[in-house]
Amino acid sequence: MLRAGTAVTCLACRSLLSPRMGLRVGVPVQKLHPLSRAIHHRYSNANTQRTPHRTAARHFTSLSRLPPRTYKYRYGGQGGHGYQQHRTFWAVRLAARLLKLRYVVLGSAVGGGYTAKKTYEDWKDSLPDLSEYSWVVPDFVWELSEQIDLDKLASAFPDLPDAEELAKLIPDLEKIGENFTFLKGLLSTGMSLVSEVNGASGLRLLLETPTDAALKAPEAPVAAAATAATTAASAESAGSADKQYKKQASDKEKIDQLQEELLRTQMKYQRMLERLEKENKDLRKVVLQKDDKGIHQRKVKVISKKSLIDLYSEVLDILSDYDSNYNTQDHLPRVVVVGDQSAGKTSVLEMIAQARIFPRGSGEMMTRSPVKVTLSEGPHHVAMFKDSSREFDLTKEEDLAALRHEIELRMRKSVRDGQTVSTETISLSVKGPGIQRMVLVDLPGVISTVTAGMAADTKETIFSLSKAYMANPNAIILCIQDGSVDAERSIVTDLVSQMDPQGKRTIFVLTKVDLAEKNLSSPSRIQQIIEGKLFPMKALGYFAVVTGKGSSSESIDSIKDYEEDFFQASRLLRDGMLKAHQVTTKNLSLAVSDCFWKMVRESVEQQADAFKASRFNLETEWKNNYPRLRELDRNELFEKAKNEILDEVISLSQVTPKHWESILQKKLWERVSTHVIENIYLPAAQTMDSGTFNTTVDIKLKQWTDKQLPHKALEVAWETLQEEFARFMAEYKGKDTDDIFDKLKEAVKDESIKRHKWNERAMDSLRVIQHNALEDRSITDKPQWDAAIQFMEETLQSRLKDTESVITDMVGPDWKQRWMHWTNRTGDQHIRNETKNELERLLKLQEDHTAYLANDEVTTVRKNLEARGVEVDPVLIKDTWHQLYRRHFLQKALAHCNLCRRGFYYYQRHFVDSELECNDIVLFWRIQRMLAITANTLRQQLTNTEVRRLEKNVKEVLEDFGEDTEKKTQLITGRRVQLAEDLKKVREIQEKLEAFIEALHKEK
């Protein structure tokens, strides 16, 4: 390009400018047309500055500034007459100095020129090669340079053409303006398209709302989409200068082309993203495995993501069992999955968990109770129940089958008799590489009709259960709708609309889209559903998913491939009815996880404050009502009661042998004395001689020993052990114990006694010992003889006293009691009294009468009573005779005991040459000796075996009660216990929440 002088350039520019611009001669160069400035005034500037060469010489030469010079005045001084003389020769001095400076100026010019040239070459070499980036400049710019003929323009300068001739060489500015306007419109159309597909990368899936966006789309994929749109716009603008472009393609065709290009770009980035995520998943798995093998430093320094979700899940588990009287409700977020029966809820959950973990059925109700699933990241794909230590390997089909079977068993077990669904929650945790962290609750499907085999209240129970979970203002509602059925048949949408009218926490999921696209004649209906225009229900986001072909044998990987292939080929996505971020369960999982953690961060601190206030209220109530008692919850109280009960059992081993034997002997005789007197002694005493007496006694003792005596002895021993156990518990209770344990101690005692079984071999050995004791008739000394007589007298006197009491009740009060207490006899008592008097006269006449009345004697007595006007029944006569004869016999036996006190001498001689026979004394001695030996045997068995077995039974019962929460709740009750329980749970919840909040802040 030729250069022209400043004057020529100014004249040329004045000629080029249009008169409409109103330019005058005095206009500065800055206000000229940019094209004119670029050509003619390249080095002109409004401000007076040095040229680049002079500037470089000034900076890089050592002669650019002269050193200061000291002036001397001829007359010495700085004023006066010398000053006038200095002014006189100023022209001469100036000329001399200019002559001296010519050499300096010449050297500076040479050095500065060399330096400027070298600097310019260095700067030019350092510039990058911009030829590779020529595509950045639109094509119309290069066309613009081609339209401007600079050579012709420069050749016109020497001739100084007029303005009209020079203006012909300038390009048409109006045409260039039209090109700029078209380019601007085209770019605005592309950017509006980009704004429509904002968030289409698949990483951020819910669009922002004007008030509060639930999720934000990432910037990198959108930038990629914008770049693609800009590139397409640049390509389209290549021929924009031609006016025929507008005739060839309409605006709609341009948008379709851009949309197809954008879709291809999205699919490309989606595949790249999946590949990167797969690599990231493998790397994270390796890292997590290294953590499991021994890298524990990270656990000390920072809580990992897995630990964070585990902390949150523990808080939810505690809250599920918490029942506060202070109305501190559980408002912590969780994802509540609701939907119509067979809408695909379970399939969606399995796709999010990446495993087929739930039992499946063909149309029947399979989800019978809420299932809380905690999803977290881990090195291995495993599942585990909250109350079990077993891990199910989800990569093995046998473990998956076992897990499904266990879930089904737990659901059926939780359902009570007569019910179809249960409110009891089953807690399950699933860990694996790449799983999004969240907590989901799968609820039973909503039904419209109760079918055969269901409880009558099944529909209402499911509705109330779903409402209870959705009533939580921080719960995220995952509404599942079956896309293969008519939308008008949906029940769950109305239910969700009632609980979340504004749709601020609802995510709508349309399942079985493949069947919907195949069956529906108008695919735009699916678009209406996804856009939220078909249902009155509002939602935070809308998604469309495909959960397989309906076969229970499909694997998760095959379902994912099928879903991806379907949406790639679906016209719903190709025609723009669905957006890329609204499809696939993977995008749904990412969106739900982001929304879940957003809700957690917004609400968890508020919940912590609520429980802090509840804790203060509970602590205040405890201080006011139980100021001197420790805050022991039900488990701590049970442990305290357990120690007391075990101490009481141990105290049994401290009972002395003498005490055991005394109690056992006394109780055993009380148990068998009636049988001995009525069935052995009295029948034998009716015999006429000693031989018959001894024979009868031996036979009856043998029968008694073989059949009844050992059993009676063991019963007595077991009852004695129980009574002593209860006595020690009662004595321990009086020593400043808590009456809150009474029900528990009683239950433990009863259950321990119920479980205790005496050693069967002990009965056989005891039978032999008792039989040998009764066979012995030898009384070795006089004290034993006297002890036997005393034992017999005490027994007979006790029986005589009982008999007298029976007779008194039969005949009524005597004359003394009637006069003293103003009582009278009844008619029956009067008859019995008359019968007694008649029978006593008979006994006086025949003192040796037998134990039974003959029939003629009964008739005689009845006739005698009738003669006195007393009508009496023969049965009444015999009953009265039995008691009278019993008293008469006991009185004679006591008299005989007194006679036998001096009979030991005759006993030693076997009663030879003596009319005194004391065989009954020998019988009672044999009974007494048997009692002593039996008591000693039982005492040994008690102290050596049974007490220890009882202690073992008590420990087992306590362990069983300790594991049974319902049992402890029934046996340890009261406001004090409930208050301590609430305090413990509130503190535990608050501590867990604070730990979770701290970990959450660290993760931020």
Side-chain angles (χ1 to χ4, degrees):
M1 184 183 291
L2 300 176
R3 295 182 181 179
T6 305
V8 177
T9 306
C10 294
L11 291 176
C13 292
R14 290 177 190 144
S15 301
L16 288 173
L17 290 176
S18 175
R20 290 179 299 173
M21 299 182 64
L23 182 65
R24 298 180 181 178
V25 178
V27 175
V29 181
Q30 289 86 344
K31 294 186 178 181
L32 293 177
H33 195 279
L35 185 60
S36 177
R37 288 179 56 194
I39 298 174
H40 304 290
H41 303 278
R42 185 175 302 177
Y43 296 106
S44 299
N45 200 331
N47 298 326
T48 304
Q49 296 180 354
R50 292 184 175 90
T51 61
H53 297 286
R54 293 182 62 188
T55 303
R58 177 176 178 87
H59 285 288
F60 293 98
T61 59
S62 59
L63 301 177
S64 59
R65 180 172 297 179
L66 296 176
R69 180 175 180 181
T70 305
Y71 295 95
K72 297 181 181 180
Y73 296 96
R74 177 176 301 179
Y75 297 98
Q78 298 181 0
H81 302 283
Y83 179 73
Q84 183 67 25
Q85 185 178 5
H86 182 67
R87 287 183 59 189
T88 304
F89 300 96
W90 65 271
V92 178
R93 293 191 184 94
L94 178 60
R97 290 184 179 182
L98 290 176
L99 291 175
K100 294 179 179 179
L101 288 175
R102 63 184 181 276
Y103 302 104
V104 177
V105 173
L106 182 60
S108 298
V110 175
Y114 177 79
T115 304
K117 181 180 179 181
K118 186 175 182 181
T119 303
Y120 174 75
E121 290 177 354
D122 294 340
W123 173 77
K124 184 179 179 181
D125 295 336
S126 62
L127 288 177
D129 187 9
L130 300 178
S131 60
E132 297 179 0
Y133 301 95
S134 60
W135 57 272
V136 177
V137 182
D139 294 339
F140 77 91
V141 177
W142 304 114
E143 295 176 2
L144 183 63
S145 64
E146 294 176 0
Q147 294 176 9
I148 301 174
D149 193 353
L150 298 178
D151 295 332
K152 293 182 179 181
L153 184 62
S155 62
F157 291 152
D159 299 334
L160 294 176
D162 56 0
E164 293 159 358
E165 185 179 355
L166 189 60
K168 295 179 181 180
L169 302 176
I170 302 301
D172 190 358
L173 298 178
E174 292 181 359
K175 184 177 181 180
I176 296 174
E178 291 178 0
N179 292 335
F180 274 109
T181 303
F182 176 75
L183 177 63
K184 179 180 178 181
L186 190 60
L187 290 177
S188 63
T189 304
M191 293 308 296
S192 64
L193 180 60
V194 172
S195 64
E196 286 182 329
V197 296
N198 185 20
S201 63
L203 293 178
R204 302 284 182 172
L205 309 165
L206 294 178
L207 296 178
E208 295 184 356
T209 59
T211 57
D212 185 14
L215 298 172
K216 295 182 179 179
E219 297 179 358
V222 176
T227 303
T230 305
T231 305
S234 300
E236 294 293 336
S237 64
S240 61
D242 242 342
K243 294 182 179 180
Q244 298 178 357
Y245 179 83
K246 294 181 180 179
K247 298 179 182 179
Q248 295 176 356
S250 64
D251 293 340
K252 185 177 181 303
E253 293 176 351
K254 298 174 187 177
I255 294 175
D256 292 341
Q257 293 176 1
L258 289 174
Q259 190 172 5
E260 291 179 1
E261 181 67 23
L262 180 61
L263 184 60
R264 287 193 295 270
T265 305
Q266 288 175 353
M267 298 305 297
K268 175 183 177 181
Y269 280 103
Q270 185 72 20
R271 286 191 293 269
M272 294 175 61
L273 185 62
E274 290 177 357
R275 179 176 57 81
L276 292 175
E277 286 182 350
K278 184 177 180 181
E279 295 176 358
N280 185 30
K281 178 180 177 181
D282 296 338
L283 292 175
R284 292 183 64 84
K285 182 176 180 180
V286 174
V287 172
L288 291 173
Q289 286 176 347
K290 289 183 178 179
D291 286 343
D292 288 346
K293 292 179 180 179
I295 303 178
H296 301 288
Q297 290 78 7
R298 292 176 59 194
K299 295 183 180 179
V300 177
K301 296 180 181 179
V302 63
I303 299 177
S304 62
K305 293 183 178 180
K306 181 178 67 173
S307 300
L308 188 64
I309 191 64
D310 289 341
L311 279 174
Y312 188 76
S313 180
E314 289 176 3
V315 174
L316 295 182
D317 290 336
I318 299 172
L319 286 173
S320 64
D321 301 330
Y322 177 65
D323 183 16
S324 174
N325 294 328
Y326 288 87
N327 297 324
T328 304
Q329 299 178 356
D330 173 19
H331 288 167
L332 287 176
R334 70 263 285 164
V335 181
V336 179
V337 185
V338 295
D340 299 328
Q341 183 177 344
S342 302
K345 297 188 295 76
T346 301
S347 300
V348 172
L349 285 179
E350 287 180 339
M351 291 295 292
I352 294 175
Q354 301 180 14
R356 309 298 295 269
I357 59 177
F358 291 103
R360 311 182 69 83
S362 57
E364 61 176 331
M365 179 180 292
M366 297 304 297
T367 305
R368 297 179 177 269
S369 64
V371 181
K372 183 177 75 68
V373 184
T374 303
L375 301 178
S376 60
E377 194 173 18
H380 306 288
H381 203 185
V382 296
M384 181 187 300
F385 290 99
K386 180 187 72 173
D387 55 353
S388 175
S389 59
R390 178 185 177 183
E391 282 190 350
F392 296 88
D393 190 351
L394 301 183
T395 59
K396 298 180 180 179
E397 186 58 35
E398 55 271 17
D399 281 17
L400 281 171
L403 178 61
R404 291 192 291 265
H405 181 66
E406 180 67 20
I407 293 176
E408 185 175 1
L409 288 180
R410 287 174 179 258
M411 286 184 180
R412 297 187 181 277
K413 184 179 179 181
S414 65
V415 176
R416 301 184 183 276
D417 297 336
Q419 300 295 323
T420 306
V421 294
S422 170
T423 58
E424 183 179 346
T425 304
I426 299 174
S427 295
L428 177 69
S429 64
V430 178
K431 302 179 181 180
I435 295 180
Q436 298 298 319
R437 302 175 302 157
M438 67 184 87
V439 177
L440 303 101
V441 181
D442 185 19
L443 299 179
V446 179
I447 60 175
S448 58
T449 305
V450 177
T451 59
M454 293 185 179
D457 60 343
T458 301
K459 179 179 177 181
E460 290 76 13
T461 303
I462 295 176
F463 266 81
S464 61
L465 182 64
S466 301
K467 288 182 178 180
Y469 274 92
M470 290 189 292
N472 181 358
N474 296 321
I476 300 170
I477 303 173
L478 195 62
C479 180
I480 309 297
Q481 170 66 35
D482 189 351
S484 63
V485 300
D486 295 336
E488 290 76 10
R489 295 167 56 185
S490 175
I491 306 174
V492 70
T493 52
D494 294 336
L495 181 62
V496 173
S497 298
Q498 296 175 9
M499 305 307 298
D500 185 22
Q502 302 300 324
K504 293 183 178 180
R505 52 189 180 90
T506 301
I507 297 177
F508 182 85
V509 181
L510 186 67
T511 61
K512 306 178 184 179
V513 182
D514 52 342
L515 299 179
E517 184 184 24
K518 180 180 179 181
N519 298 333
L520 291 178
S521 59
S522 176
S524 62
R525 189 174 177 86
I526 299 178
Q527 183 180 7
Q528 293 178 352
I529 297 176
I530 295 301
E531 291 178 352
K533 298 179 180 179
L534 188 63
F535 294 111
M537 182 193 72
K538 299 180 181 179
L540 188 66
Y542 297 85
F543 291 88
V545 299
V546 175
T547 56
K549 301 178 181 179
S551 175
S552 59
S553 60
E554 287 182 286
S555 64
I556 296 296
D557 294 335
S558 63
I559 295 176
K560 287 182 179 179
D561 296 338
Y562 173 72
E563 182 182 40
E564 184 178 353
D565 295 341
F566 168 77
F567 281 115
Q568 286 182 358
S570 174
R571 58 173 294 192
L572 297 172
L573 193 63
R574 186 175 61 253
D575 295 346
M577 299 181 184
L578 298 179
K579 296 180 174 59
H581 71 277
Q582 291 182 313
V583 298
T584 71
T585 52
K586 181 178 181 180
N587 292 342
L588 171 65
S589 176
L590 290 168
V592 174
S593 178
D594 289 344
C595 191
F596 168 76
W597 285 107
K598 179 177 180 293
M599 192 75 76
V600 168
R601 291 184 175 93
E602 292 177 352
S603 61
V604 67
E605 293 187 359
Q606 182 180 0
Q607 283 289 294
D609 294 338
F611 280 102
K612 186 181 296 184
S614 177
R615 174 179 177 178
F616 175 78
N617 295 337
L618 294 173
E619 289 177 346
T620 303
E621 182 180 356
W622 183 274
K623 291 177 182 178
N624 293 333
N625 296 328
Y626 312 102
R628 298 184 178 181
L629 295 178
R630 291 178 56 197
E631 299 171 2
L632 300 178
D633 60 8
R634 185 171 282 109
N635 292 330
E636 293 172 339
L637 289 172
F638 179 81
E639 291 298 325
K640 183 179 179 181
K642 178 180 178 181
N643 295 332
E644 290 185 4
I645 294 172
L646 293 178
D647 292 341
E648 294 163 5
V649 175
I650 294 174
S651 300
L652 289 175
S653 60
Q654 301 176 359
V655 179
T656 60
K658 183 178 180 181
H659 180 74
W660 278 118
E661 293 180 9
S662 176
I663 296 175
L664 290 169
Q665 188 172 350
K666 180 181 179 181
K667 288 185 173 295
L668 182 59
W669 175 240
E670 290 175 356
R671 182 65 59 87
V672 302
S673 60
T674 301
H675 181 84
V676 171
I677 298 299
E678 302 295 335
N679 298 327
I680 299 177
Y681 174 63
L682 289 179
Q686 303 301 320
T687 59
M688 302 304 296
D689 53 13
S690 60
T692 306
F693 179 87
N694 292 330
T695 302
T696 303
V697 167
D698 290 343
I699 293 173
K700 291 187 176 294
L701 287 177
K702 181 67 169 59
Q703 294 175 352
W704 182 45
T705 305
D706 292 340
K707 296 180 180 180
Q708 299 181 9
L709 183 58
H711 292 280
K712 295 290 183 181
L714 293 181
E715 289 178 2
V716 168
W718 181 223
E719 291 176 1
T720 303
L721 182 60
Q722 298 178 36
E723 292 177 0
E724 288 298 305
F725 182 34
R727 181 176 66 85
F728 275 99
M729 293 180 69
E731 291 178 356
Y732 198 90
K733 179 181 177 181
K735 299 178 181 179
D736 192 20
T737 57
D738 201 338
D739 56 357
I740 203 172
F741 301 145
D742 292 346
K743 292 175 65 176
L744 176 61
K745 290 183 177 181
E746 190 68 22
V748 170
K749 184 189 71 173
D750 296 341
E751 184 65 23
S752 301
I753 292 170
K754 182 180 178 180
R755 295 185 182 185
H756 185 83
K757 293 182 180 179
W758 207 276
N759 190 1
E760 296 179 357
R761 292 179 297 178
M763 185 179 296
D764 297 334
S765 61
L766 182 62
R767 182 181 291 110
V768 175
I769 293 173
Q770 289 173 339
H771 181 73
N772 294 335
L774 291 174
E775 287 290 332
D776 189 5
R777 299 185 179 88
S778 59
I779 303 176
T780 58
D781 53 11
K782 185 68 165 56
Q784 293 181 355
W785 181 267
D786 294 338
I789 293 175
Q790 182 180 358
F791 174 62
M792 181 178 178
E793 285 182 346
E794 292 176 355
T795 303
L796 295 179
Q797 287 177 357
S798 174
R799 293 294 168 178
L800 180 59
K801 184 178 180 180
D802 294 340
T803 304
E804 290 284 356
S805 177
V806 172
I807 294 174
T808 301
D809 293 338
M810 289 173 61
V811 301
D814 56 5
W815 64 272
K816 184 177 180 181
Q817 291 177 346
R818 292 198 303 270
W819 284 100
M820 294 292 294
H821 300 287
W822 293 85
T823 57
N824 292 321
R825 292 172 178 164
T826 62
D828 186 64
Q829 288 177 344
H830 178 70
I831 294 173
R832 285 187 177 275
N833 184 57
E834 293 296 331
T835 305
K836 178 180 78 71
N837 294 334
E838 186 67 25
L839 293 175
E840 284 179 347
R841 285 194 291 268
L842 180 61
L843 281 175
K844 288 180 180 179
L845 295 175
Q846 300 179 11
E847 292 184 356
D848 296 334
H849 198 286
T850 60
Y852 303 99
L853 286 175
N855 291 333
D856 55 349
E857 293 177 333
V858 172
T859 303
T860 301
V861 171
R862 184 169 62 82
K863 288 182 178 181
N864 292 338
L865 293 173
E866 289 177 355
R868 294 199 297 270
V870 178
E871 294 291 336
V872 65
D873 188 71
V875 177
L876 186 145
I877 295 174
K878 292 180 179 180
D879 291 342
T880 307
W881 169 257
H882 177 71
Q883 297 299 330
L884 293 176
Y885 180 80
R886 182 184 183 86
R887 182 181 65 178
H888 174 69
F889 174 80
L890 292 174
Q891 291 173 351
K892 288 177 60 178
L894 286 172
H896 183 68
C897 283
N898 292 329
L899 294 176
C900 289
R901 287 184 182 278
R902 54 185 179 84
F904 180 69
Y905 172 74
Y906 299 102
Y907 166 76
Q908 290 180 333
R909 298 181 61 185
H910 303 286
F911 301 103
V912 178
D913 299 332
S914 174
E915 297 179 359
L916 183 62
E917 293 183 356
C918 298
N919 293 318
D920 50 357
I921 305 298
V922 177
L923 170 63
F924 277 93
W925 181 82
R926 294 166 67 182
I927 297 296
Q928 186 182 29
R929 186 168 180 272
M930 182 273 298
L931 292 175
I933 294 175
T934 302
N936 181 268
T937 304
L938 293 176
R939 188 266 305 167
Q940 294 180 7
Q941 188 171 356
L942 283 173
T943 55
N944 297 335
T945 305
E946 302 305 328
V947 171
R948 296 179 181 177
R949 292 183 61 198
L950 177 63
E951 182 178 355
K952 181 180 178 182
N953 290 337
V954 170
K955 290 180 179 179
E956 291 178 354
V957 172
L958 288 173
E959 289 178 358
D960 294 343
F961 284 3
E963 295 175 356
D964 192 348
T965 305
E966 294 183 359
K967 199 75 173 179
K968 289 190 292 185
T969 305
Q970 295 174 0
L971 299 176
I972 304 178
T973 58
R975 177 55 189 163
R976 185 182 119 196
V977 182
Q978 189 62 40
L979 187 59
E981 284 284 306
D982 292 343
L983 264 173
K984 176 188 175 183
K985 288 184 178 180
V986 168
R987 285 171 179 161
E988 186 178 4
I989 292 171
Q990 184 183 358
E991 291 174 359
K992 294 285 186 182
L993 281 175
E994 290 176 352
F996 173 74
I997 292 172
E998 182 180 358
L1000 193 64
H1001 290 166
K1002 288 183 178 179
E1003 189 184 52
K1004 288 182 181 180

